[in-house]
Amino acid sequence: MSITSASGRGELRNAYRFGMFVLAIAFGITTLTARMFYLQVVQSQPANNVTSNSQATELESIPAPRGLIYDASGKPLVQNIVDFSVTVTPVDLPREQEETVAQRLGSILNLDPIYIETQIDGTTGSLYVPVKIADGVSASIASFIEENTDALPGVKISQTQKREYLTGQLFSDVLGYEGRITETQYQQLKSQGYSDQDIVGQAGLEGYYESELRGTPGNQTVALDAQGEPIPDLVTHGKNPISGDSLTLNLDTHEQQLAAAALAWGVRAAKVKQGVIIVENPQNGQILAMVSLPTYNDQLFADGISGSDFQALLTDPNQPLINKAIGGQYAPGSTYKLVTATAGLQDGSINTTQTLVSQPYIQIGDFKYWEWDRHGWGPLNIYQGFSYSSDTFFYQLATEVGLKDLTYWGDQYGFGKPTGIDLPETATGIVPTNAWKMATQNDPMYTGEIMYAGIGQGYDSVTPMQLLNAYSALANGGNVWQPQIVKSITDGATGAVTQVQPVLMNKLPASAATLETIRVAARQVVTSRHTGDLTDIPAIKIAGKTGTAEFGVLDQRGRLPYHEWFIGFTPADPYVDDFTKPDSQLAVIAFIYGANTWGNVATEVVKTYMLLHYKVISRQALALDRRTPGYIMGWVYRTTNFYGNNSRD
Amino acid sequence: MSLLQDQTVKLRAWAPKSGWLAWRNYDFQLTTYAVLLTMFGLAMAYSNSVGSTHEPLTINSPFVRSIMWGVVAVVVLGLMTVFDYKWLKSFAWPLYLINLGLLVLTLRVGVGTGEAGTAARWVVIAGFQFQFSEMAKIIMVLVFAAFLADRQDKIKSPWTIMQMLIVLGPPWILVLMQPDLGTSLVLVATVAGLLFMSGASLFWLGTLATAVLAAIPFVWTHMADYQQARLLTVLNPWADPQGAGYQVIQAQTAVNAGGIAGKGLTNGQVALPVSSTDFVWGVLAEELGLIGAIVVLVLFTLLLWRMLAASWRATEPFAMLLGAGMATMIFFQVVVNVGMVIGLVPVTGIPLPFVSYGGASLVSLAAGLGTLQSANLRRERPAW
């Protein structure tokens, strides 16, 4: 085969092997070309369909961005993030390909293929309704699936918005959460364009302001290709969605943190789980902080809570899902003496100079109604009766006043009815009347029960919000304001800001003198150190009222657990001891559920909050207390010459 | 005729040609095809630089870098054409040692880029990344060609094959250590092609091939996991769609989406890994379609044809083997690179000659082409 010969250069240019090489090249390039032809012409995909098949169209709804929520300083408490979910539409998935697709999806999503098949086969609805396979899929996996829809027939990516709560659990009870629309809600909201797949606010602000936050969904017409898949390029915009309105709260993250720190310290010190703290501006009803413990993580709901997690929250005996500030009702104990005192001063049963004799007990028939310290103090005027929180004093006063006046003033202070707060208010409390008792127990109120009603025991029941609002009315000279969480609403379309105006729910028909008398008495609660010793902290002038209400069953040592209350308020100038003027800017309530401590933890919580709020101590100092719960008590002991707080009432 | 040829040899042997007469043997077609392929490469680099969002070009974008490297490549092409290729034969062994040195240097100071995983294949010189394994391919073609040209008298001996393998060993191992499976395969293919074209014993080549096939199970167990995964992936890319199969699935999706006419330059939408280098064919297929793909494949065929023509017309073994070696190398790279994108062969990091972005690859190819043109110019022609 050699072409060269005489030159003696060996087998240069072996034609046979050159031929083989050329054949190899021809074969190789031909194979590549053939495969390219197969992939690009025979198996060619979407790109070709774009121009040809665009008759079929579909109207798609575009959800509006949900309104955001900001704290008083403009800091966002929540943001919207995009969430991808993977669905399979059974009708688009040929039976014989189901196993393959399930396996492919399984390896993409890291799920068991059997699970996916079960989900698809187990659907009871129409074959046209997409079955959700996975939620919270990352953007890269979502785009991978979208680019490979041909290998995954019936599989679709849907893009949904989801909430991200930016402050952890701090505002969970206030902000609430969203969830799948319930059947009842759907029936109510159907007319407003909701679908039965919608996610709507279910609790807290998300629920209360659902219609503001939701915005107006838009829509668009998309062209469908031969497979019924939307063609991305062929979209006709119908109507752009309009963002939901944004809320700016009266609540401030910093104040909320202080309140949460104080309350967390209190429940830890009392070794209990449940407690509430609310901070209000008595001059206009703005709520500055609101914490209910135990709380929950609202992000769990935003991420799609699992059945077991939800069950755990529902069955938790401490009811973390209930915002106890507005959703729990409890016996108010001695704090309710505010109502009895107002009634007595207003109807002339008592004046500022008259006295009633406090005794170890008052006997009605066989039953002894005891003074809380089982001794009594002898004759007491209204200031002393209120500040010593004498039970026998108020038993007598309540009897004098009578049930009718007692319930009248309870109603005037806002007990037994909604406060009107802009949150889903599920509890309204009870102000017992004869009519109420007849209706519920077919029996009138007995004298002893009226006496109990005068000291906040028996049938009396209030929510922490109602109680704080009543004391706010005391502090501001008689105005029962509507408590307000939201300060302003920003329109999602125009950006126009609407300030929420204070709403006066009721003007107490009590004289200024009556309220001034009770304010001064409330100051003596703190200074007389019979019940409120610990709240008399240096520099800051606090007035307030303690309360302890027994409930439930005896423990092993024969004691009843009790609620502990304290409501405190400061004058406009918290450093000047003058409670004659109705100028308070700050009222705080603390509530501890089921405590069994020696002393009132609620006073400690309010005091701790005040110390933090007025920067007497730092939150860092309080944080140190994590290891030694007695730290604050010790600090107060050293700086205030405190002699011990043994009061129970 | 042979007499005439012998006389010509005597008259012109080893003499540098002068004047325009020498340039009559310059293969303009060969250079033209190479330049056209490079133009496709520039188009792909442009598409990858601006993307579908039409980002502005930056100094570090593949397109601008490609133009800079293109200028270097033209200079190298010219220099190597003017340079007498026979000198390279004398320099073969020093070149071999320099080559080993550079590969060792790559292992010592080389860097990987995020794009191509953790492999340390690049050496940064004055801000430019350079992949010496690309140069190694061309240098090894020169070394093997020189080696075989010197053994024309005992070309049928099995020892020739053994010696070739011994010469191949050190650079092959150094490349494999980077690890650069692709380049090491190119080296093996080049050696096989050169042995075949040099006229080595088919019996012994066949024996060797059988031995290699028999060794596959053993090699398999010693392969890195990612290498095994890549080989398995060609069989079923959906076994691991987010991992090893991802590239293959995405690449085929891109090719599918291209259709006959393609989506047009920069209009590609499918996200492709290493889209400017190893998977450039996916971008090309999506944006330029079957038409563009066939044009490029035809250009490669013509280029290989001109290389084989240069080899065929060569009047001495070194020149003949240079052409054959270059053709083998480019042909193998085209088949493997395009084949892996369209799911015919396992994924290996082999660039598409001229088209893939990469300065070292382009400059090395230019050096090889220049050497081939140099051989064309200095060919002893029968004087008719």
Side-chain angles (χ1 to χ4, degrees):
Chain A
M1 291 297 251
S2 175
I3 289 175
T4 57
S5 50
S7 58
R9 279 180 294 231
E11 284 192 75
L12 187 61
R13 280 195 297 186
N14 183 323
Y16 171 72
R17 294 195 180 184
F18 264 90
M20 289 292 288
F21 200 135
V22 170
L23 276 181
I25 291 175
F27 175 75
I29 300 290
T30 310
T31 308
L32 294 181
T33 311
R35 173 80 176 166
M36 287 302 290
F37 181 82
Y38 174 74
L39 286 178
Q40 299 203 282
V41 178
V42 180
Q43 224 188 52
S44 178
Q45 292 297 347
N48 286 2
N49 297 344
V50 171
T51 45
S52 56
N53 238 322
S54 53
Q55 272 71 24
T57 59
E58 189 178 73
L59 190 67
E60 268 187 358
S61 169
I62 314 169
R66 196 169 172 84
L68 299 179
I69 304 176
Y70 302 92
D71 83 346
S73 65
K75 185 173 168 256
L77 302 177
V78 59
Q79 67 183 28
N80 296 326
I81 57 176
V82 174
D83 191 32
F84 297 98
S85 56
V86 180
T87 59
V88 172
T89 313
V91 74
D92 293 335
L93 173 57
R95 196 83 202 154
E96 64 277 8
Q97 285 193 50
E98 187 175 319
E99 197 181 330
T100 325
V101 168
Q103 269 165 8
R104 290 175 175 179
L105 258 192
S107 49
I108 296 168
L109 301 170
N110 205 9
L111 285 173
D112 184 2
I114 311 254
Y115 165 80
I116 296 172
E117 280 192 76
T118 321
Q119 290 289 308
I120 300 169
D121 296 339
T123 180
T124 49
S126 154
L127 291 179
Y128 292 89
V129 175
V131 182
K132 188 171 282 184
I133 302 295
D135 258 334
V137 174
S138 77
S140 67
I141 290 183
S143 67
F144 178 79
I145 292 175
E146 281 195 324
E147 283 167 1
N148 291 289
T149 42
D150 310 312
L152 299 164
V155 179
K156 273 186 190 154
I157 294 290
S158 59
Q159 195 176 324
T160 49
Q161 280 182 22
K162 121 178 160 179
R163 288 294 226 192
E164 186 174 33
Y165 297 100
L166 300 170
T167 46
Q169 305 192 4
L170 189 61
F171 284 97
S172 285
D173 279 296
V174 174
L175 298 178
Y177 51 86
E178 290 179 285
R180 175 66 49 86
I181 194 167
T182 64
E183 186 56 36
T184 334
Q185 288 169 331
Y186 175 57
Q187 294 306 331
Q188 283 169 2
L189 296 170
K190 207 160 49 170
S191 57
Q192 295 172 36
Y194 282 76
S195 91
D196 58 355
Q197 297 283 309
D198 273 349
I199 303 292
V200 299
Q202 295 288 10
L205 293 171
E206 297 275 23
Y208 190 88
Y209 285 100
E210 166 64 24
S211 55
E212 284 83 359
L213 290 168
R214 175 177 155 90
T216 314
N219 56 42
Q220 63 184 11
T221 311
V222 291
L224 303 179
D225 67 14
Q227 281 82 39
E229 301 289 334
I231 303 167
D233 302 341
L234 292 182
V235 169
T236 326
H237 281 284
K239 209 169 61 169
N240 283 327
I242 302 167
S243 299
D245 301 344
S246 292
L247 310 176
T248 302
L249 308 186
N250 290 313
L251 282 77
D252 176 76
T253 304
H254 179 65
E255 289 301 315
Q256 182 84 352
Q257 282 168 341
L258 300 186
L263 181 62
W265 173 84
V267 294
R268 196 167 61 237
K271 296 190 172 60
V272 298
K273 294 278 184 284
Q274 301 183 37
V276 169
I277 185 168
I278 315 171
V279 184
E280 180 175 348
N281 180 351
Q283 296 303 326
N284 50 24
Q286 293 183 346
I287 302 300
L288 309 176
M290 176 186 275
V291 180
S292 163
L293 289 178
T295 187
Y296 59 94
N297 186 355
D298 46 6
Q299 193 62 44
L300 280 179
F301 289 89
D303 294 343
I305 192 165
S306 71
S308 58
D309 282 353
F310 189 51
Q311 272 305 313
L313 286 173
L314 279 181
T315 54
D316 186 326
N318 293 311
Q319 299 178 306
L321 289 181
I322 292 178
N323 179 357
K324 295 170 189 70
I326 50 169
Q329 50 187 28
Y330 313 95
S334 301
T335 57
Y336 204 72
K337 287 168 185 169
L338 167 69
V339 173
T340 319
T342 312
L345 287 166
Q346 280 302 118
D347 73 1
S349 302
I350 196 166
N351 61 37
T352 49
T353 52
Q354 254 177 297
T355 58
L356 294 169
V357 181
S358 69
Q359 301 151 36
Y361 56 85
I362 288 174
Q363 190 156 0
I364 308 279
D366 290 339
F367 199 84
K368 288 173 179 170
Y369 292 85
W370 285 95
E371 181 60 66
W372 64 265
D373 76 344
R374 308 219 157 200
H375 297 294
W377 294 270
L380 300 175
N381 62 22
I382 181 73
Y383 297 105
Q384 292 165 316
F386 193 79
S387 61
Y388 294 13
S389 199
S390 166
D391 288 341
T392 51
F393 180 97
F394 277 93
Y395 291 148
Q396 296 170 56
L397 189 56
T399 321
E400 289 270 327
V401 165
L403 184 64
K404 191 162 163 284
D405 269 12
L406 213 49
T407 54
Y408 170 77
W409 285 101
D411 179 67
Q412 289 295 320
Y413 271 108
F415 294 110
K417 55 189 179 187
T419 60
I421 190 171
D422 46 348
L423 282 175
E425 205 172 6
T426 50
T428 52
I430 297 162
V431 178
T433 62
N434 265 323
W436 172 84
K437 181 116 189 272
M438 288 303 287
T440 53
Q441 297 178 28
N442 199 21
D443 220 9
M445 291 281 283
Y446 298 115
T447 314
E449 289 174 340
I450 297 170
M451 282 161 55
Y452 267 160
I455 66 157
Q457 292 273 13
Y459 299 118
D460 289 351
S461 125
V462 302
T463 69
M465 190 66 249
Q466 286 173 334
L467 197 50
L468 176 62
N469 218 33
Y471 272 86
S472 292
L474 170 72
N476 67 30
N479 296 319
V480 182
W481 294 105
Q482 178 189 57
Q484 289 175 339
I485 299 287
V486 171
K487 179 161 70 179
S488 63
I489 300 177
T490 309
D491 191 280
T494 64
V497 179
T498 313
Q499 296 294 335
V500 177
Q501 297 304 320
V503 176
L504 188 63
M505 301 295 282
N506 185 31
K507 175 77 189 166
L508 287 180
S511 69
T514 298
L515 297 175
E516 185 184 325
T517 302
I518 301 176
R519 277 200 303 275
V520 171
R523 172 60 182 159
Q524 288 178 17
V525 168
V526 173
T527 53
S528 74
R529 301 187 164 179
H530 271 93
T531 62
D533 298 314
L534 272 177
T535 48
D536 188 18
I537 50 179
I540 309 302
K541 309 302 175 194
I542 303 175
K545 185 73 194 82
T546 55
T548 306
E550 294 180 333
F551 74 103
V553 290
L554 299 169
D555 69 3
Q556 293 123 324
R557 289 158 70 184
R559 300 174 306 187
L560 283 168
Y562 40 88
H563 304 312
E564 293 173 344
W565 297 93
F566 186 77
I567 307 105
F569 54 93
T570 55
D573 183 348
Y575 306 101
V576 176
D577 191 354
D578 178 11
F579 285 88
T580 56
K581 292 194 290 272
D583 58 358
S584 172
Q585 309 277 334
L586 186 77
V588 185
I589 188 169
F591 167 69
I592 301 290
Y593 178 92
N596 225 334
T597 48
W598 189 237
N600 187 328
V601 178
T603 60
E604 299 304 308
V605 172
V606 171
K607 176 207 66 191
T608 306
Y609 171 77
M610 295 284 194
L611 289 172
L612 292 167
H613 176 82
Y614 291 110
K615 300 189 174 63
V616 181
I617 60 167
S618 69
R619 207 146 57 89
Q620 286 72 23
L622 190 69
L624 283 179
D625 185 49
R626 201 169 283 282
R627 280 170 291 122
T628 54
Y631 177 84
I632 295 296
M633 280 196 167
W635 183 86
V636 173
Y637 178 84
R638 287 193 303 279
T639 51
T640 63
N641 293 318
F642 154 67
Y643 290 102
N645 172 19
N646 296 338
S647 65
R648 280 277 306 272
D649 208 5
Chain B
M1 185 170 166
S2 56
L3 271 173
L4 273 174
Q5 200 173 2
D6 275 357
Q7 283 173 350
T8 320
V9 170
K10 278 173 194 159
L11 281 171
R12 297 190 176 173
W14 307 104
K17 296 188 176 182
S18 58
W20 65 273
L21 267 177
W23 293 91
R24 292 202 334 203
N25 284 340
Y26 189 86
D27 191 341
F28 283 103
Q29 279 192 55
L30 181 61
T31 307
T32 306
Y33 300 143
V35 168
L36 286 175
L37 283 168
T38 309
M39 292 297 172
F40 271 93
L42 280 175
M44 287 302 107
Y46 177 76
S47 174
N48 274 310
S49 298
V50 301
S52 51
T53 51
H54 295 277
E55 291 158 32
L57 288 169
T58 63
I59 192 76
N60 284 322
S61 65
F63 181 63
V64 176
R65 287 272 160 134
S66 289
I67 289 179
M68 292 157 79
W69 280 115
V71 172
V72 176
V74 168
V75 172
V76 169
L77 178 69
L79 285 176
M80 294 309 287
T81 308
V82 174
F83 192 73
D84 189 342
Y85 77 103
K86 295 196 185 75
W87 282 83
L88 289 174
K89 192 181 168 190
S90 328
F91 284 133
W93 290 110
L95 274 175
Y96 180 73
L97 292 176
I98 290 170
N99 189 23
L100 286 187
L102 292 176
L103 289 176
V104 170
L105 185 75
T106 304
L107 279 180
R108 292 300 295 257
V109 303
V111 292
T113 70
E115 206 181 9
T118 55
R121 298 173 188 172
W122 286 265
V123 172
V124 181
I125 302 165
F128 283 80
Q129 292 182 343
F130 206 79
Q131 210 175 349
F132 284 123
S133 58
E134 289 298 328
M135 234 165 81
K137 293 179 194 168
I138 298 292
I139 293 179
M140 291 312 287
V141 169
L142 286 173
V143 172
F144 291 137
F147 185 84
L148 286 173
D150 281 349
R151 276 159 189 75
Q152 285 294 294
D153 44 345
K154 43 195 172 190
I155 198 75
K156 294 286 182 195
S157 158
W159 282 111
T160 307
I161 298 175
M162 287 303 292
Q163 286 165 340
M164 276 288 275
L165 293 182
I166 291 167
V167 175
L168 169 66
W172 189 75
I173 287 168
L174 286 172
V175 167
L176 207 53
M177 277 167 69
Q178 289 183 4
D180 188 348
L181 183 66
T183 300
S184 66
L185 287 176
V186 172
L187 291 181
V188 172
T190 310
V191 166
L194 275 169
L195 282 169
F196 180 78
M197 294 304 285
S198 69
S201 157
L202 283 181
F203 171 77
W204 287 113
L205 280 177
T207 310
L208 185 66
T210 314
V212 169
L213 285 177
I216 282 176
F218 175 78
V219 173
W220 175 259
T221 55
H222 284 78
M223 268 188 181
D225 285 346
Y226 84 95
Q227 291 167 337
Q228 287 189 358
R230 280 177 174 184
L231 291 176
L232 288 177
T233 298
V234 77
L235 301 174
N236 179 16
W238 284 96
D240 184 11
Q242 284 291 305
Y246 177 75
Q247 299 173 320
V248 179
I249 294 168
Q250 290 295 86
Q252 289 191 30
T253 306
V255 175
N256 279 337
I260 294 175
K263 291 179 175 175
L265 203 61
T266 74
N267 291 336
Q269 282 161 345
V270 180
L272 275 171
V274 283
S275 56
S276 62
T277 54
D278 294 354
F279 279 87
V280 71
W281 187 256
V283 181
L284 192 144
E286 186 183 4
E287 297 184 353
L288 304 182
L290 184 64
I291 293 173
I294 288 180
V295 168
V296 172
L297 287 176
V298 166
L299 281 174
F300 272 120
T301 313
L302 291 170
L303 182 85
L304 291 171
W305 174 252
R306 293 318 303 168
M307 286 182 161
L308 285 181
S311 177
W312 176 261
R313 287 181 183 170
T315 46
E316 54 101 17
F318 182 54
M320 185 278 266
L321 288 168
L322 269 183
M326 288 280 296
T328 311
M329 191 191 85
I330 289 173
F331 176 55
F332 183 77
Q333 293 200 44
V334 169
V335 168
V336 173
N337 180 283
V338 175
M340 77 182 181
V341 171
I342 60 182
L344 289 178
V345 297
V347 175
T348 41
I350 291 181
L352 189 60
F354 303 103
V355 182
S356 283
Y357 166 67
S361 175
L362 190 61
V363 171
S364 304
L365 286 164
L369 274 185
T371 313
L372 211 55
Q373 292 286 27
S374 174
N376 272 341
L377 293 186
R378 290 165 181 83
R379 184 162 71 212
E380 297 131 19
R381 274 179 43 176
W384 60 76

